[in-house]
Amino acid sequence: MAQSPNTQAPALKLAATPGQTIGPFYGYALPFEKDNELVNQAHPASVRLHGVVTDGAGTVIPDALLEIWQADEHGNIVSKDGSLVRDGYTFTGWGRTAVDNVGHYTFTTLNPGATEAGKAPFIMLTVFARGLLNRLFTRIYLPEDTAALASDPLLSSLDDAQRKTLIATREEDGSLRFDISLQGEDETVFLSYPRES
Amino acid sequence: MSTQTTANETFNDSHVLDPAATTVSQESISKEITDIHAAYRQSVVDGKKAETQPRIDFAPYRSSLLRHPTKNLHHADPETIELHSPAFGERDVHALESDLTIQHNGEPIGERIVVTGRVLDGDGRPVAGQLVEIWQANAAGRYIHKRDQHPAPIDPNFTGVGRAITGPNGEYSFTTIKPAPYPWKNHHNAWRPAHIHFSLFGTDFTQRMITQMYFPGDPLFPLDPIYQAITDKDARDRLVATYDHSITSHEWATGYNWDIVLTGSNRTWMEDEEGDH
Protein backbone atom coordinates (compact mmCIF):
# COMPACT_ATOMS: atom_id res chain seq x y z
CA MET A 1 0.00 0.00 0.00
CA ALA A 2 1.35 3.42 -0.92
CA GLN A 3 1.74 5.44 2.26
CA SER A 4 1.29 9.17 1.98
CA PRO A 5 3.09 11.27 4.54
CA ASN A 6 0.56 12.25 7.18
CA THR A 7 1.48 15.88 6.88
CA GLN A 8 -0.37 15.90 3.57
CA ALA A 9 -3.72 15.14 5.15
CA PRO A 10 -6.07 17.87 3.95
CA ALA A 11 -7.69 20.01 6.64
CA LEU A 12 -11.07 18.84 7.83
CA LYS A 13 -14.07 21.04 7.08
CA LEU A 14 -15.83 20.29 10.33
CA ALA A 15 -14.51 20.01 13.87
CA ALA A 16 -15.24 16.65 15.43
CA THR A 17 -17.75 16.36 18.25
CA PRO A 18 -15.87 16.00 21.54
CA GLY A 19 -15.89 12.62 23.25
CA GLN A 20 -17.10 12.05 26.80
CA THR A 21 -16.68 9.24 29.31
CA ILE A 22 -18.78 6.12 28.87
CA GLY A 23 -19.64 6.48 32.60
CA PRO A 24 -20.38 3.54 34.85
CA PHE A 25 -24.03 3.01 33.88
CA TYR A 26 -24.03 1.62 30.33
CA GLY A 27 -26.03 -1.22 31.90
CA TYR A 28 -28.34 -2.78 29.33
CA ALA A 29 -27.23 -0.55 26.48
CA LEU A 30 -23.90 -1.89 25.34
CA PRO A 31 -23.51 -5.49 26.56
CA PHE A 32 -25.43 -8.03 24.49
CA GLU A 33 -25.68 -11.80 24.31
CA LYS A 34 -22.39 -13.44 23.24
CA ASP A 35 -20.86 -9.99 22.80
CA ASN A 36 -17.39 -11.34 23.61
CA GLU A 37 -17.72 -14.49 21.48
CA LEU A 38 -16.48 -13.72 18.00
CA VAL A 39 -16.54 -17.48 17.51
CA ASN A 40 -18.03 -20.27 19.58
CA GLN A 41 -15.71 -21.83 22.14
CA ALA A 42 -16.23 -25.15 20.37
CA HIS A 43 -14.72 -23.77 17.15
CA PRO A 44 -11.55 -25.82 16.52
CA ALA A 45 -9.44 -22.69 16.03
CA SER A 46 -10.98 -20.67 18.86
CA VAL A 47 -8.55 -18.74 21.02
CA ARG A 48 -9.05 -17.07 24.35
CA LEU A 49 -7.85 -13.47 24.50
CA HIS A 50 -7.84 -12.17 28.05
CA GLY A 51 -6.20 -9.92 30.60
CA VAL A 52 -6.84 -7.26 33.19
CA VAL A 53 -7.31 -3.50 33.02
CA THR A 54 -5.49 -1.51 35.73
CA ASP A 55 -5.14 2.14 36.73
CA GLY A 56 -2.11 4.19 37.73
CA ALA A 57 -2.04 2.66 41.21
CA GLY A 58 -2.04 -0.83 39.73
CA THR A 59 -5.61 -1.32 40.94
CA VAL A 60 -7.97 -3.21 38.68
CA ILE A 61 -10.67 -1.17 36.97
CA PRO A 62 -14.06 -2.87 37.36
CA ASP A 63 -16.05 -0.54 35.10
CA ALA A 64 -14.23 -0.56 31.79
CA LEU A 65 -15.66 -1.75 28.50
CA LEU A 66 -13.47 -3.08 25.69
CA GLU A 67 -14.04 -3.62 21.99
CA ILE A 68 -11.91 -5.55 19.53
CA TRP A 69 -11.91 -5.47 15.73
CA GLN A 70 -9.80 -7.87 13.70
CA ALA A 71 -9.23 -9.82 10.49
CA ASP A 72 -10.07 -13.53 10.32
CA GLU A 73 -7.47 -16.29 10.56
CA HIS A 74 -6.62 -15.91 6.85
CA GLY A 75 -6.10 -12.16 7.11
CA ASN A 76 -9.40 -11.29 5.45
CA ILE A 77 -11.20 -8.19 6.69
CA VAL A 78 -14.84 -9.19 6.78
CA SER A 79 -17.79 -6.82 6.49
CA LYS A 80 -20.70 -8.97 7.54
CA ASP A 81 -23.45 -7.78 9.84
CA GLY A 82 -24.79 -9.85 12.72
CA SER A 83 -22.48 -8.87 15.56
CA LEU A 84 -25.39 -7.86 17.80
CA VAL A 85 -27.42 -10.99 17.04
CA ARG A 86 -24.74 -13.63 16.70
CA ASP A 87 -25.87 -16.69 14.76
CA GLY A 88 -22.94 -18.84 15.92
CA TYR A 89 -21.59 -19.24 12.38
CA THR A 90 -20.79 -15.83 10.92
CA PHE A 91 -17.42 -14.34 11.79
CA THR A 92 -17.91 -10.57 11.85
CA GLY A 93 -14.52 -9.62 13.31
CA TRP A 94 -15.96 -7.41 16.02
CA GLY A 95 -16.56 -8.00 19.73
CA ARG A 96 -17.33 -6.12 22.91
CA THR A 97 -17.07 -6.98 26.57
CA ALA A 98 -17.44 -5.32 29.94
CA VAL A 99 -14.64 -6.24 32.35
CA ASP A 100 -15.77 -8.21 35.39
CA ASN A 101 -15.68 -7.20 39.07
CA VAL A 102 -11.95 -7.86 39.24
CA GLY A 103 -11.11 -5.99 36.06
CA HIS A 104 -10.64 -9.11 33.97
CA TYR A 105 -11.89 -9.58 30.42
CA THR A 106 -12.16 -12.50 28.02
CA PHE A 107 -12.86 -12.69 24.31
CA THR A 108 -13.27 -15.93 22.39
CA THR A 109 -11.86 -15.30 18.96
CA LEU A 110 -9.44 -16.46 16.26
CA ASN A 111 -5.79 -15.65 15.80
CA PRO A 112 -5.93 -12.99 13.11
CA GLY A 113 -3.94 -13.70 9.96
CA ALA A 114 -1.61 -11.21 8.32
CA THR A 115 -3.59 -8.90 6.05
CA GLU A 116 -0.61 -8.74 3.68
CA ALA A 117 2.34 -11.10 3.31
CA GLY A 118 5.07 -10.19 5.80
CA LYS A 119 2.83 -7.93 7.89
CA ALA A 120 2.56 -8.49 11.61
CA PRO A 121 -1.00 -9.50 12.45
CA PHE A 122 -2.77 -7.54 15.17
CA ILE A 123 -6.13 -7.05 16.83
CA MET A 124 -7.37 -3.50 17.24
CA LEU A 125 -8.51 -2.67 20.77
CA THR A 126 -10.62 0.22 22.05
CA VAL A 127 -10.82 1.03 25.77
CA PHE A 128 -13.72 2.85 27.42
CA ALA A 129 -14.02 3.42 31.17
CA ARG A 130 -15.54 5.58 33.85
CA GLY A 131 -12.94 8.24 34.56
CA LEU A 132 -11.62 8.07 31.01
CA LEU A 133 -12.89 11.17 29.21
CA ASN A 134 -12.31 9.83 25.71
CA ARG A 135 -11.81 6.35 24.25
CA LEU A 136 -8.31 4.99 23.76
CA PHE A 137 -7.09 2.92 20.83
CA THR A 138 -4.28 0.38 20.85
CA ARG A 139 -3.11 -2.74 19.02
CA ILE A 140 -2.62 -6.28 20.28
CA TYR A 141 0.14 -7.93 18.24
CA LEU A 142 0.53 -11.70 18.11
CA PRO A 143 3.90 -12.82 19.52
CA GLU A 144 4.85 -15.53 17.01
CA ASP A 145 6.07 -13.93 13.79
CA THR A 146 9.17 -12.27 15.22
CA ALA A 147 10.49 -11.27 11.78
CA ALA A 148 7.27 -9.44 10.94
CA LEU A 149 7.23 -7.83 14.40
CA ALA A 150 10.80 -6.62 13.91
CA SER A 151 9.95 -4.93 10.63
CA ASP A 152 6.60 -3.47 11.73
CA PRO A 153 6.75 0.33 11.34
CA LEU A 154 4.76 1.09 14.50
CA LEU A 155 6.66 -1.31 16.74
CA SER A 156 9.99 -0.14 15.29
CA SER A 157 9.20 3.41 16.36
CA LEU A 158 8.93 2.37 20.02
CA ASP A 159 11.56 1.59 22.63
CA ASP A 160 11.73 -1.92 24.10
CA ALA A 161 9.58 -1.19 27.15
CA GLN A 162 6.87 0.44 25.06
CA ARG A 163 6.97 -2.27 22.39
CA LYS A 164 6.39 -4.92 25.04
CA THR A 165 3.07 -3.33 26.01
CA LEU A 166 1.64 -4.02 22.53
CA ILE A 167 2.64 -7.67 22.10
CA ALA A 168 0.44 -10.33 23.67
CA THR A 169 1.89 -13.30 25.53
CA ARG A 170 1.00 -16.80 24.37
CA GLU A 171 0.11 -18.89 27.38
CA GLU A 172 0.60 -22.64 27.67
CA ASP A 173 -3.01 -23.40 26.81
CA GLY A 174 -2.71 -21.39 23.59
CA SER A 175 -4.56 -18.37 24.93
CA LEU A 176 -3.39 -14.82 24.38
CA ARG A 177 -2.73 -12.71 27.46
CA PHE A 178 -2.89 -8.95 27.04
CA ASP A 179 -3.04 -6.67 30.09
CA ILE A 180 -3.92 -3.00 29.76
CA SER A 181 -2.45 -0.30 32.03
CA LEU A 182 -4.06 3.10 31.66
CA GLN A 183 -1.27 4.78 33.59
CA GLY A 184 2.01 4.04 35.34
CA GLU A 185 5.36 2.46 34.61
CA ASP A 186 4.00 -0.26 32.35
CA GLU A 187 1.51 2.13 30.72
CA THR A 188 0.12 0.67 27.50
CA VAL A 189 1.01 2.62 24.36
CA PHE A 190 -2.19 4.24 23.08
CA LEU A 191 -2.54 5.48 19.54
CA SER A 192 -3.74 8.52 17.62
CA TYR A 193 -4.40 8.73 13.90
CA PRO A 194 -3.64 11.41 11.31
CA ARG A 195 -7.14 12.76 10.84
CA GLU A 196 -8.13 13.09 14.48
CA SER A 197 -8.73 16.69 15.28
CA MET B 1 -4.39 14.30 45.14
CA SER B 2 -4.71 11.90 48.05
CA THR B 3 -5.35 8.27 47.23
CA GLN B 4 -8.01 8.37 49.90
CA THR B 5 -10.24 10.55 47.75
CA THR B 6 -9.89 8.12 44.90
CA ALA B 7 -10.69 5.12 47.04
CA ASN B 8 -13.81 6.84 48.27
CA GLU B 9 -15.25 7.30 44.85
CA THR B 10 -15.09 3.81 43.49
CA PHE B 11 -18.59 2.64 42.69
CA ASN B 12 -18.35 0.11 45.50
CA ASP B 13 -19.74 2.80 47.75
CA SER B 14 -21.58 4.77 45.09
CA HIS B 15 -24.82 4.00 46.90
CA VAL B 16 -23.61 5.60 50.13
CA LEU B 17 -25.96 8.45 50.85
CA ASP B 18 -23.91 10.23 53.49
CA PRO B 19 -22.77 13.44 51.80
CA ALA B 20 -19.72 13.48 54.08
CA ALA B 21 -18.40 10.58 51.98
CA THR B 22 -17.28 13.23 49.53
CA THR B 23 -15.87 16.25 51.23
CA VAL B 24 -14.50 18.44 48.45
CA SER B 25 -16.85 21.39 47.98
CA GLN B 26 -18.38 22.53 44.72
CA GLU B 27 -16.63 25.87 45.25
CA SER B 28 -13.29 24.15 45.35
CA ILE B 29 -14.02 22.05 42.23
CA SER B 30 -15.37 25.11 40.39
CA LYS B 31 -12.22 27.06 41.27
CA GLU B 32 -10.07 24.28 39.80
CA ILE B 33 -12.17 24.34 36.61
CA THR B 34 -11.98 28.15 36.37
CA ASP B 35 -8.19 28.12 36.76
CA ILE B 36 -7.65 25.43 34.11
CA HIS B 37 -9.95 27.25 31.69
CA ALA B 38 -8.23 30.58 32.27
CA ALA B 39 -4.83 28.99 31.58
CA TYR B 40 -6.26 27.40 28.44
CA ARG B 41 -7.66 30.69 27.13
CA GLN B 42 -4.32 32.36 27.75
CA SER B 43 -2.58 29.60 25.79
CA VAL B 44 -4.90 30.28 22.83
CA VAL B 45 -4.13 34.00 23.08
CA ASP B 46 -0.45 33.02 23.02
CA GLY B 47 -1.01 31.23 19.73
CA LYS B 48 -1.64 27.62 20.79
CA LYS B 49 -4.17 25.56 18.85
CA ALA B 50 -7.74 25.36 20.12
CA GLU B 51 -8.51 22.09 21.87
CA THR B 52 -11.50 20.35 20.33
CA GLN B 53 -11.57 17.24 22.53
CA PRO B 54 -11.83 16.79 26.31
CA ARG B 55 -8.64 16.63 28.31
CA ILE B 56 -8.20 13.07 29.48
CA ASP B 57 -6.19 14.50 32.38
CA PHE B 58 -8.71 16.73 34.12
CA ALA B 59 -8.24 16.75 37.89
CA PRO B 60 -11.65 18.26 38.79
CA TYR B 61 -13.09 14.98 37.46
CA ARG B 62 -11.52 12.93 40.23
CA SER B 63 -11.93 9.56 38.54
CA SER B 64 -9.65 10.75 35.72
CA LEU B 65 -6.64 11.11 38.05
CA LEU B 66 -5.42 7.52 37.89
CA ARG B 67 -7.10 6.63 34.61
CA HIS B 68 -5.52 8.96 32.07
CA PRO B 69 -2.39 7.91 30.17
CA THR B 70 0.54 10.10 31.15
CA LYS B 71 2.39 9.69 27.86
CA ASN B 72 1.33 11.40 24.66
CA LEU B 73 -0.75 9.28 22.35
CA HIS B 74 1.57 7.60 19.86
CA HIS B 75 0.93 8.63 16.30
CA ALA B 76 0.12 5.66 14.03
CA ASP B 77 -0.51 5.39 10.32
CA PRO B 78 -3.79 3.50 10.21
CA GLU B 79 -3.51 0.26 8.30
CA THR B 80 -5.69 -2.58 7.09
CA ILE B 81 -8.29 -3.37 9.76
CA GLU B 82 -8.19 0.18 11.16
CA LEU B 83 -9.33 1.57 7.83
CA HIS B 84 -12.55 -0.44 7.93
CA SER B 85 -15.44 -0.65 10.33
CA PRO B 86 -17.72 -3.47 11.45
CA ALA B 87 -20.99 -3.75 9.54
CA PHE B 88 -24.39 -3.46 11.17
CA GLY B 89 -27.75 -3.84 9.52
CA GLU B 90 -31.42 -4.66 9.92
CA ARG B 91 -30.37 -8.06 11.18
CA ASP B 92 -28.76 -6.34 14.17
CA VAL B 93 -31.19 -3.52 14.84
CA HIS B 94 -34.97 -3.52 14.55
CA ALA B 95 -36.59 -0.27 13.40
CA LEU B 96 -38.63 -0.09 16.63
CA GLU B 97 -35.51 0.04 18.81
CA SER B 98 -35.25 3.77 18.16
CA ASP B 99 -38.45 4.39 20.15
CA LEU B 100 -37.60 4.10 23.84
CA THR B 101 -41.19 4.81 24.86
CA ILE B 102 -42.71 1.58 23.49
CA GLN B 103 -40.43 -1.03 24.99
CA HIS B 104 -42.80 -1.97 27.82
CA ASN B 105 -46.51 -2.40 28.41
CA GLY B 106 -47.24 1.15 29.50
CA GLU B 107 -46.22 4.72 28.86
CA PRO B 108 -43.07 5.88 30.60
CA ILE B 109 -43.33 8.89 32.89
CA GLY B 110 -41.87 12.19 31.77
CA GLU B 111 -41.57 14.68 28.94
CA ARG B 112 -41.66 12.78 25.65
CA ILE B 113 -38.99 14.08 23.28
CA VAL B 114 -37.74 13.40 19.77
CA VAL B 115 -34.00 13.75 19.23
CA THR B 116 -32.93 13.81 15.61
CA GLY B 117 -29.91 14.83 13.60
CA ARG B 118 -27.23 13.67 11.21
CA VAL B 119 -23.93 11.86 11.62
CA LEU B 120 -21.24 13.42 9.41
CA ASP B 121 -17.52 12.95 9.09
CA GLY B 122 -14.95 15.71 9.32
CA ASP B 123 -15.14 16.26 5.56
CA GLY B 124 -18.88 16.93 5.84
CA ARG B 125 -19.90 13.62 4.32
CA PRO B 126 -22.89 11.74 5.75
CA VAL B 127 -22.03 8.55 7.59
CA ALA B 128 -24.75 6.18 6.41
CA GLY B 129 -25.69 2.68 7.52
CA GLN B 130 -23.86 2.90 10.84
CA LEU B 131 -24.91 1.89 14.31
CA VAL B 132 -25.92 4.56 16.83
CA GLU B 133 -26.54 3.37 20.39
CA ILE B 134 -27.97 5.52 23.18
CA TRP B 135 -28.57 5.10 26.90
CA GLN B 136 -29.84 7.44 29.56
CA ALA B 137 -31.42 7.96 32.97
CA ASN B 138 -35.20 8.21 33.29
CA ALA B 139 -37.30 11.28 34.10
CA ALA B 140 -36.30 10.95 37.77
CA GLY B 141 -32.58 10.72 37.07
CA ARG B 142 -32.29 6.97 37.66
CA TYR B 143 -30.55 4.42 35.44
CA ILE B 144 -31.64 0.82 35.16
CA HIS B 145 -28.29 -0.48 36.33
CA LYS B 146 -27.56 -2.43 39.48
CA ARG B 147 -24.73 -0.05 40.37
CA ASP B 148 -27.05 2.97 40.25
CA GLN B 149 -28.55 3.08 43.73
CA HIS B 150 -29.54 6.75 43.60
CA PRO B 151 -32.79 6.97 45.60
CA ALA B 152 -35.02 8.08 42.73
CA PRO B 153 -37.78 5.87 41.35
CA ILE B 154 -37.21 3.31 38.63
CA ASP B 155 -39.82 3.60 35.90
CA PRO B 156 -41.10 0.10 35.08
CA ASN B 157 -41.92 1.32 31.57
CA PHE B 158 -38.53 2.80 30.75
CA THR B 159 -35.20 1.04 30.33
CA GLY B 160 -33.51 3.99 28.63
CA VAL B 161 -31.74 2.05 25.88
CA GLY B 162 -32.09 2.59 22.12
CA ARG B 163 -30.40 1.72 18.83
CA ALA B 164 -30.67 2.95 15.28
CA ILE B 165 -28.89 2.59 11.95
CA THR B 166 -28.21 5.89 10.19
CA GLY B 167 -30.10 6.54 6.95
CA PRO B 168 -28.66 7.44 3.53
CA ASN B 169 -28.02 11.05 4.59
CA GLY B 170 -26.54 10.02 7.91
CA GLU B 171 -29.80 10.80 9.69
CA TYR B 172 -30.98 9.22 12.93
CA SER B 173 -34.03 9.80 15.12
CA PHE B 174 -34.95 8.63 18.61
CA THR B 175 -38.20 9.02 20.52
CA THR B 176 -37.53 8.98 24.24
CA ILE B 177 -38.14 10.70 27.59
CA LYS B 178 -36.16 13.72 28.73
CA PRO B 179 -33.71 12.48 31.37
CA ALA B 180 -33.25 14.33 34.67
CA PRO B 181 -30.03 15.43 36.37
CA TYR B 182 -28.71 13.05 39.02
CA PRO B 183 -26.24 13.22 41.89
CA TRP B 184 -22.87 11.50 41.77
CA LYS B 185 -19.94 11.09 44.11
CA ASN B 186 -17.26 13.24 42.51
CA HIS B 187 -17.51 15.90 45.24
CA HIS B 188 -20.00 17.21 47.77
CA ASN B 189 -23.36 17.99 46.15
CA ALA B 190 -22.18 17.01 42.66
CA TRP B 191 -24.98 16.77 40.07
CA ARG B 192 -24.64 15.82 36.42
CA PRO B 193 -26.49 17.94 33.86
CA ALA B 194 -29.21 15.94 32.07
CA HIS B 195 -27.64 14.02 29.20
CA ILE B 196 -28.05 11.15 26.76
CA HIS B 197 -25.04 8.90 26.06
CA PHE B 198 -24.31 8.31 22.35
CA SER B 199 -22.07 5.57 20.91
CA LEU B 200 -21.03 5.89 17.27
CA PHE B 201 -19.05 3.99 14.69
CA GLY B 202 -17.88 5.35 11.36
CA THR B 203 -16.44 4.09 8.12
CA ASP B 204 -12.94 3.72 9.64
CA PHE B 205 -12.70 2.07 13.02
CA THR B 206 -10.49 5.03 13.95
CA GLN B 207 -13.67 7.16 13.94
CA ARG B 208 -15.24 5.15 16.79
CA MET B 209 -16.42 7.40 19.60
CA ILE B 210 -18.67 7.68 22.66
CA THR B 211 -20.03 11.01 23.81
CA GLN B 212 -22.93 12.67 25.62
CA MET B 213 -25.65 14.99 24.32
CA TYR B 214 -26.80 17.74 26.66
CA PHE B 215 -29.93 19.94 26.73
CA PRO B 216 -29.82 23.70 26.11
CA GLY B 217 -29.81 26.12 29.02
CA ASP B 218 -28.87 23.64 31.75
CA PRO B 219 -27.83 25.56 34.90
CA LEU B 220 -25.55 22.67 35.90
CA PHE B 221 -23.13 23.15 32.98
CA PRO B 222 -20.60 25.39 34.75
CA LEU B 223 -20.55 23.08 37.78
CA ASP B 224 -19.92 19.80 35.96
CA PRO B 225 -16.31 18.60 35.68
CA ILE B 226 -17.11 16.05 32.97
CA TYR B 227 -18.67 18.62 30.63
CA GLN B 228 -16.04 21.23 31.57
CA ALA B 229 -13.20 18.79 30.79
CA ILE B 230 -13.67 20.23 27.31
CA THR B 231 -11.74 23.42 27.93
CA ASP B 232 -12.80 25.22 24.74
CA LYS B 233 -16.23 26.85 24.81
CA ASP B 234 -16.97 26.34 21.10
CA ALA B 235 -16.13 22.66 21.48
CA ARG B 236 -18.30 22.37 24.61
CA ASP B 237 -21.21 23.97 22.79
CA ARG B 238 -21.05 21.17 20.20
CA LEU B 239 -22.43 18.76 22.78
CA VAL B 240 -25.59 20.80 23.37
CA ALA B 241 -28.67 19.97 21.31
CA THR B 242 -30.87 22.71 19.86
CA TYR B 243 -34.56 22.93 20.73
CA ASP B 244 -36.37 22.83 17.37
CA HIS B 245 -40.06 23.65 17.30
CA SER B 246 -40.39 22.17 13.80
CA ILE B 247 -39.49 18.77 15.30
CA THR B 248 -41.91 19.29 18.19
CA SER B 249 -45.26 17.70 17.42
CA HIS B 250 -48.73 18.78 18.50
CA GLU B 251 -49.84 17.32 21.82
CA TRP B 252 -47.19 14.62 21.57
CA ALA B 253 -43.47 15.43 21.98
CA THR B 254 -40.96 18.25 22.12
CA GLY B 255 -38.14 18.15 19.57
CA TYR B 256 -34.37 18.54 19.67
CA ASN B 257 -31.82 18.56 16.92
CA TRP B 258 -28.25 17.36 17.38
CA ASP B 259 -25.71 16.67 14.64
CA ILE B 260 -22.62 14.59 15.37
CA VAL B 261 -19.31 14.98 13.55
CA LEU B 262 -16.82 12.11 13.56
CA THR B 263 -13.17 12.59 12.66
CA GLY B 264 -12.13 12.48 9.02
CA SER B 265 -11.94 9.15 7.26
CA ASN B 266 -8.33 8.09 6.76
CA ARG B 267 -9.37 5.57 4.14
CA THR B 268 -11.11 8.07 1.90
CA TRP B 269 -8.33 10.57 2.39
CA MET B 270 -5.77 8.09 1.03
CA GLU B 271 -7.97 7.31 -1.98
CA ASP B 272 -8.45 11.03 -2.61
CA GLU B 273 -4.72 11.58 -2.37
CA GLU B 274 -4.07 8.95 -5.02
CA GLY B 275 -6.76 10.44 -7.23
CA ASP B 276 -5.21 13.88 -6.97
CA HIS B 277 -1.89 12.85 -8.46
Side-chain angles (χ1 to χ4, degrees):
Chain A
M1 189 191 326
Q3 292 281 353
S4 309
N6 301 317
T7 48
Q8 289 180 13
L12 298 173
K13 293 174 190 152
L14 302 173
T17 303
Q20 292 272 266
T21 172
I22 190 173
F25 298 138
Y26 45 79
Y28 291 93
L30 299 180
F32 57 95
E33 204 180 338
K34 297 182 182 172
D35 54 6
N36 64 340
E37 295 181 28
L38 285 77
V39 295
N40 191 288
Q41 285 175 32
H43 188 293
S46 75
V47 166
R48 182 187 192 202
L49 166 67
H50 70 122
V52 293
V53 186
T54 49
D55 69 13
T59 307
V60 292
I61 293 180
D63 46 9
L65 183 130
L66 309 177
E67 288 178 358
I68 59 169
W69 171 230
Q70 65 167 88
D72 70 12
E73 59 202 311
H74 308 296
N76 298 313
I77 297 167
V78 297
S79 58
K80 290 176 179 161
D81 63 9
S83 284
L84 296 177
V85 284
R86 302 213 188 264
D87 62 12
Y89 298 95
T90 309
F91 182 78
T92 66
W94 182 73
R96 170 186 282 170
T97 194
V99 300
D100 64 18
N101 292 335
V102 291
H104 191 263
Y105 75 92
T106 292
F107 287 102
T108 310
T109 187
L110 302 170
N111 288 313
T115 48
E116 292 163 56
K119 278 273 185 185
F122 67 88
I123 295 168
M124 190 176 181
L125 176 75
T126 315
V127 182
F128 303 94
R130 176 179 70 89
L132 185 59
L133 282 153
N134 209 351
R135 81 283 176 278
L136 295 171
F137 294 122
T138 190
R139 292 180 186 174
I140 305 170
Y141 282 92
L142 303 194
E144 281 84 14
D145 190 343
T146 48
L149 292 173
S151 63
D152 182 84
L154 171 62
L155 293 177
S156 307
S157 66
L158 301 172
D159 65 37
D160 282 350
Q162 292 177 315
R163 190 181 303 126
K164 251 183 6 200
T165 71
L166 300 189
I167 302 175
T169 307
R170 186 73 69 180
E171 301 197 307
E172 275 180 24
D173 62 358
S175 67
L176 284 169
R177 174 86 188 196
F178 188 81
D179 294 335
I180 300 149
S181 303
L182 294 188
Q183 195 183 92
E185 273 185 29
D186 54 352
E187 188 173 303
T188 305
V189 171
F190 296 104
L191 306 176
S192 69
Y193 298 98
R195 302 206 73 194
E196 285 187 78
S197 50
Chain B
M1 209 48 54
S2 75
T3 51
Q4 198 181 354
T5 309
T6 311
N8 277 343
E9 38 148 1
T10 65
F11 62 70
N12 295 329
D13 64 359
S14 65
H15 62 287
V16 173
L17 301 180
D18 178 12
T22 48
T23 53
V24 182
S25 69
Q26 179 72 55
E27 288 69 25
S28 162
I29 291 288
S30 293
K31 170 84 166 57
E32 289 179 36
I33 292 172
T34 305
D35 290 350
I36 294 169
H37 284 196
Y40 164 71
R41 283 193 302 274
Q42 186 57 48
S43 76
V44 172
V45 169
D46 295 343
K48 278 230 176 128
K49 238 177 92 180
E51 293 178 14
T52 60
Q53 290 294 321
R55 289 199 180 168
I56 52 173
D57 174 12
F58 196 73
Y61 177 27
R62 293 294 194 249
S63 301
S64 75
L65 287 170
L66 288 172
R67 295 187 171 193
H68 71 271
T70 55
K71 302 185 175 77
N72 288 335
L73 299 182
H74 190 84
H75 185 86
D77 288 325
E79 53 181 281
T80 62
I81 192 83
E82 292 162 309
L83 296 172
H84 299 263
S85 201
F88 301 99
E90 286 177 26
R91 186 178 179 186
D92 295 293
V93 182
H94 193 281
L96 293 178
E97 288 186 68
S98 63
D99 189 341
L100 286 71
T101 68
I102 58 167
Q103 295 169 350
H104 299 277
N105 290 329
E107 292 285 342
I109 301 294
E111 176 187 346
R112 191 184 289 103
I113 61 172
V114 170
V115 177
T116 186
R118 296 176 72 202
V119 181
L120 304 167
D121 76 7
D123 297 303
R125 279 182 290 238
V127 180
Q130 283 298 329
L131 177 66
V132 182
E133 296 162 287
I134 66 167
W135 69 100
Q136 61 169 95
N138 68 22
R142 179 81 183 260
Y143 284 91
I144 303 286
H145 187 123
K146 65 185 173 204
R147 285 167 183 163
D148 184 4
Q149 294 295 321
H150 162 214
I154 283 172
D155 183 341
N157 292 318
F158 191 73
T159 304
V161 170
R163 294 195 187 104
I165 301 283
T166 54
N169 294 313
E171 70 274 21
Y172 73 87
S173 183
F174 289 102
T175 302
T176 182
I177 296 293
K178 191 173 180 184
Y182 57 83
W184 60 309
K185 310 290 289 181
N186 187 68
H187 54 277
H188 181 65
N189 208 12
W191 289 76
R192 297 273 1 255
H195 60 276
I196 299 177
H197 295 263
F198 272 72
S199 156
L200 300 129
F201 289 81
T203 52
D204 292 9
F205 200 73
T206 63
Q207 295 177 311
R208 175 86 180 95
M209 74 169 307
I210 283 180
T211 187
Q212 300 174 21
M213 184 206 94
Y214 297 90
F215 292 86
D218 197 317
L220 294 168
F221 284 154
L223 308 177
D224 179 44
I226 292 181
Y227 180 65
Q228 299 295 337
I230 305 158
T231 53
D232 187 85
K233 184 174 185 308
D234 289 343
R236 271 199 306 279
D237 288 348
R238 291 185 192 114
L239 293 188
V240 183
T242 307
Y243 172 75
D244 187 336
H245 203 62
S246 72
I247 301 167
T248 293
S249 57
H250 183 66
E251 296 200 350
W252 182 245
T254 53
Y256 291 88
N257 185 77
W258 191 52
D259 290 343
I260 302 152
V261 180
L262 308 178
T263 61
S265 163
N266 288 286
R267 180 165 44 148
T268 312
W269 158 53
M270 293 185 84
E271 285 164 1
D272 282 355
E273 283 288 295
E274 283 161 19
D276 285 344
H277 293 290

